[in-house]
Amino acid sequence: MGLILTFMFNQKLFEIFFYFAWTGDLLTLLIWPNPVSPPLATNPLSWAGFILKHIAPLALTILFIKKGRLFNRDAVWTALKWMLVYTGFIAIYNLVFDQNILDLRYATLDIELLFGDWPLYVGVNILLALGWYYLIHFITMRLKMIKFS
């Protein structure tokens, strides 16, 4: 999404990209040690790539905002709808390719184990994501990053 936005800006895609980056990428960087991150001690180049892959979208959204890009009032709802579509796609992908993206099949983080067994921890993850989206929306409102016209 970021690459497309770099060459051809689209307001809705920017809003979706912003919310996806500030949930997925930021949380990936905050969860440490991250079970999917290559180990720094044995794979420093892969580790650096992993970190940069998650920092770049955040930096790109900041660059767009510094250039004066604002959000529509309904940006949070647009992003939530597309996150639901994405999650549905990933659920099917996980089954077809025997994967566990978004931890939809089994927990991979210790904190998720505290939330209970499947599907209870998935429900808690969804509630946390909704709360995180609201927090991002609240912050963008407080920083006057939402256009109301």
Side-chain angles (χ1 to χ4, degrees):
M1 283 189 269
L3 189 59
I4 293 169
L5 288 168
T6 301
F7 295 106
M8 183 180 63
F9 187 83
N10 176 280
Q11 183 66 32
K12 291 286 185 202
L13 187 60
F14 167 62
E15 293 167 352
I16 294 164
F17 179 65
F18 177 84
Y19 276 90
F20 278 30
W22 285 92
T23 53
D25 290 314
L26 184 61
L27 289 175
T28 297
L29 292 169
L30 290 176
I31 297 168
W32 213 258
N34 192 306
V36 297
S37 171
L40 174 60
T42 56
N43 295 336
L45 288 177
S46 296
W47 179 85
F50 178 85
I51 296 300
L52 289 173
K53 174 190 175 287
H54 290 91
I55 289 174
L58 299 172
L60 186 57
T61 60
I62 291 169
L63 178 66
F64 282 129
I65 291 166
K66 286 183 90 70
K67 287 186 174 186
R69 301 293 185 178
L70 299 176
F71 303 99
N72 290 315
R73 283 181 288 149
D74 64 344
V76 66
W77 299 114
T78 300
L80 278 170
K81 286 186 265 185
W82 280 101
M83 179 53 85
L84 181 62
V85 169
Y86 175 72
T87 303
F89 173 80
I90 292 300
I92 294 166
Y93 180 91
N94 284 346
L95 290 174
V96 171
F97 295 104
D98 193 29
Q99 297 292 309
N100 188 39
I101 300 170
L102 297 178
D103 288 2
L104 294 175
R105 295 179 63 201
Y106 53 87
T108 60
L109 303 172
D110 291 338
I111 194 167
E112 289 176 325
L113 300 173
L114 298 174
F115 301 154
D117 293 331
W118 188 94
L120 187 58
Y121 81 88
V122 173
V124 173
N125 282 347
I126 290 169
L127 290 175
L128 289 171
L130 290 172
W132 194 257
Y133 269 56
Y134 174 77
L135 180 62
I136 293 169
H137 178 69
F138 177 77
I139 291 169
T140 56
M141 283 182 18
R142 296 285 291 171
L143 294 175
K144 300 185 182 352
M145 295 166 50
I146 297 176
K147 54 186 171 186
F148 288 98
S149 57

